[in-house]
Amino acid sequence: MTRTRNTAAAALLAGALLLAGCGSGGDGHDDHPLDEGGPADSSLTTPPPPPLPGAFAGVDQNDPESVMVGAAQALFSYAPAEDANQLAAAQRAAPLFDERYYSENSGSFIALAPITGKQWQSWADEGAIVTASASVTSDEHPADQPAKVSRVLAVTQTATTPEGKPLSSTTFAAYMSATKLGVWRVSAVAVR
């Protein structure tokens, strides 16, 4: 009786699989809708990264260090004669930030860099352009995780007159983390 039940169950299973279309054609290829090259194929590929503004053309969104460097350079570069304060730079850097982190912390970005109101006003009076360059240092950092990477960046801000005459230069450390959200985005930043 057990043998009869097993045979009947096997026959039912084979019939169900055949009706469900999971059988194999005689050519050695499985007949499956995904093999037709139709729209279902596109769901198996990773979509391209979202487009970034032209200022970030050189940023590789699939490389957390590239995203952190690009964000730091935008976040700490200013046009004091045109920008009301450092928040203008934060708005320009926003495309490289995790949206939630940015919305919860954008107001505090005004106090990130070690710049006094007097320094800002002096730059504005000179019509200075402050350009930040950033690079990843070899300083110790937390171990990389599949979806989170932290680094210490050396940021150098150079202020020049509109004619290119150097006014000042300052270097400081920026501690940044990036989180993988399909592509990498900055999810934490602090200056010490």
Side-chain angles (χ1 to χ4, degrees):
M1 186 170 203
T2 303
R3 185 173 188 190
T4 305
R5 281 188 197 162
N6 288 345
T7 303
L12 285 173
L13 180 60
L17 290 173
L18 186 59
L19 288 174
C22 293
S24 179
D27 61 359
H29 293 89
D30 287 339
D31 294 327
H32 196 278
L34 294 179
D35 291 338
E36 301 299 318
D41 283 349
S42 64
S43 67
L44 298 176
T45 61
T46 303
L52 290 171
F56 302 117
V59 173
D60 179 353
Q61 298 180 73
N62 295 308
D63 177 358
E65 290 184 357
S66 178
V67 169
M68 286 186 269
V69 166
Q73 291 177 168
L75 184 61
F76 298 113
S77 292
Y78 316 123
E82 298 170 16
D83 297 343
N85 52 42
Q86 294 97 315
L87 293 180
Q91 290 170 347
R92 290 189 290 269
L96 294 179
F97 278 82
D98 169 17
E99 290 177 11
R100 176 185 278 173
Y101 174 77
Y102 182 84
S103 68
E104 291 174 358
N105 296 281
S106 62
S108 66
F109 290 161
I110 195 167
L112 276 177
I115 299 167
T116 64
K118 183 178 179 180
Q119 178 65 68
W120 186 269
Q121 189 57 52
S122 174
W123 285 337
D125 293 344
E126 295 267 358
I129 302 298
V130 180
T131 305
S133 62
S135 60
V136 176
T137 70
S138 59
D139 290 11
E140 287 188 27
H141 53 76
D144 291 353
Q145 298 173 10
K148 186 174 182 181
V149 172
S150 297
R151 296 289 186 268
V152 180
L153 282 75
V155 179
T156 300
Q157 289 179 313
T158 304
T160 59
T161 65
E163 296 77 32
K165 176 186 167 194
L167 296 172
S168 64
S169 184
T170 305
T171 301
F172 55 88
Y175 298 79
M176 300 183 89
S177 293
T179 302
K180 191 166 190 177
L181 306 166
V183 291
W184 291 93
R185 291 294 182 258
V186 173
S187 56
V189 59
V191 173
R192 295 188 184 119

